[in-house]
Amino acid sequence: EAGVAQSPRYKIIEKRQSVAFWCNPISGHATLYWYQQILGQGPKLLIQFQNNGVVDDSQLPKDRFSAERLKGVDSTLKIQPAKLEDSAVYLCASSLRIGSDTEAFFGQGTRLTVV
Amino acid sequence: AQKITQTQPGMFVQEKEAVTLDCTYDTSDPSYGLFWYKQPSSGEMIFLIYQGSYDQQNATEGRYSLNFQKARKSANLVISASQLGDSAMYFCAMREVGGATNKLIFGTGTLLAVQP
């Protein structure tokens, strides 16, 4: 079974530039998450999709971050314009369904450095 | 509101000894799940073990066991017979069932170093 795929693995951009990350979840997984993990901290949930609908984006900085999940499969997360404090690892995860007993499977993440 | 607390920023353990990583949580939902993940220096998050709020028995997976004390709202991870490859960050996480979104939230993590 293929895991969660993310690209790119690394990205360096200047502040005020834009950047996009891509995620392909495990086939058949209805729930998709984007997390931001700043160095030395735990992952912080940015947005959660159920199929192609947003179920939680309360911690997404909507003035600069956007995300979509077209057709309920792949997802993209965009930052425009980037700030220095956006430097972090962006983790995508998926789970089979919403439920307390379903673990999330994570991709390898995209390490973003904003200079 | 959901909250996960890990009070140990770092832990040392000798190879082959057991170690306990602490996790406490807060929720008003009677139905929830608790998870532990391992994050090696390579960065991937690896699922280790799950405990449901209604499970009567503590969860075990190989050398990992979860010491679940519901009244104290704690879900400590016990790693027996530590190995050098266990050196990593460990995160406790929780998902509520009754909420509208079933968010999966994480604690701040504990960095475990296994010494030979």
Side-chain angles (χ1 to χ4, degrees):
Chain A
E1 177 181 82
V4 177
Q6 287 189 250
S7 68
R9 285 295 310 277
Y10 305 93
K11 190 77 178 177
I12 301 174
I13 62 171
E14 294 184 348
K15 60 183 179 184
R16 291 188 289 275
Q17 285 188 324
S18 62
V19 64
F21 313 128
W22 174 81
C23 173
N24 180 238
I26 293 173
S27 178
H29 279 198
T31 308
L32 186 147
Y33 313 82
W34 282 102
Y35 288 87
Q36 179 193 58
Q37 187 177 21
I38 293 172
L39 186 65
Q41 299 182 17
K44 173 184 139 185
L45 180 66
L46 293 176
I47 189 166
Q48 177 179 335
F49 293 93
Q50 178 69 10
N51 296 311
N52 61 348
V54 175
V55 294
D56 189 278
D57 61 359
S58 56
Q59 296 200 86
L60 188 73
K62 297 180 187 63
D63 57 333
R64 299 184 301 106
F65 286 63
S66 65
E68 60 182 7
R69 189 183 184 195
L70 298 177
K71 300 180 182 178
V73 182
D74 293 7
S75 178
T76 56
L77 176 69
K78 296 178 181 177
I79 308 175
Q80 182 180 9
K83 293 184 175 181
L84 296 176
E85 60 259 36
D86 298 332
S87 294
V89 175
Y90 290 84
L91 294 164
C92 179
S94 70
S95 62
L96 186 60
R97 56 184 171 81
I98 282 182
S100 70
D101 60 342
T102 51
E103 73 266 33
F105 295 85
F106 283 79
Q108 296 220 295
T110 296
R111 185 177 297 277
L112 174 67
T113 303
V114 182
V115 298
Chain B
Q2 288 175 274
K3 188 177 180 182
I4 293 279
T5 303
Q6 294 180 256
T7 57
Q8 305 156 311
M11 292 278 288
F12 288 98
V13 66
Q14 291 293 124
E15 197 177 4
K16 298 178 185 158
E17 292 187 349
V19 63
T20 298
L21 306 183
D22 294 341
C23 172
T24 58
Y25 60 91
D26 191 21
T27 178
S28 56
D29 193 328
S31 183
Y32 50 90
L34 296 155
F35 305 81
W36 276 92
Y37 283 83
K38 173 184 178 181
Q39 188 176 43
S41 56
S42 53
E44 73 269 31
M45 295 284 277
I46 303 166
F47 166 72
L48 296 177
I49 196 167
Y50 162 81
Q51 179 83 43
S53 58
Y54 292 116
D55 292 344
Q56 297 295 316
Q57 306 260 7
N58 285 343
T60 60
E61 288 286 349
R63 294 186 298 110
Y64 304 109
S65 61
L66 201 151
N67 183 1
F68 181 46
Q69 297 186 47
K70 194 169 181 177
R72 297 180 60 186
K73 293 190 174 178
S74 76
N76 299 338
L77 177 71
V78 181
I79 306 174
S80 63
S82 297
Q83 302 171 357
L84 295 178
D86 293 334
S87 294
M89 280 290 286
Y90 288 82
F91 292 97
C92 181
M94 177 175 70
R95 177 190 282 127
E96 294 173 334
V97 174
T101 65
N102 304 120
K103 289 193 293 189
L104 179 63
I105 65 163
F106 286 79
T108 52
T110 296
L111 180 61
L112 177 66
V114 180
Q115 297 175 319

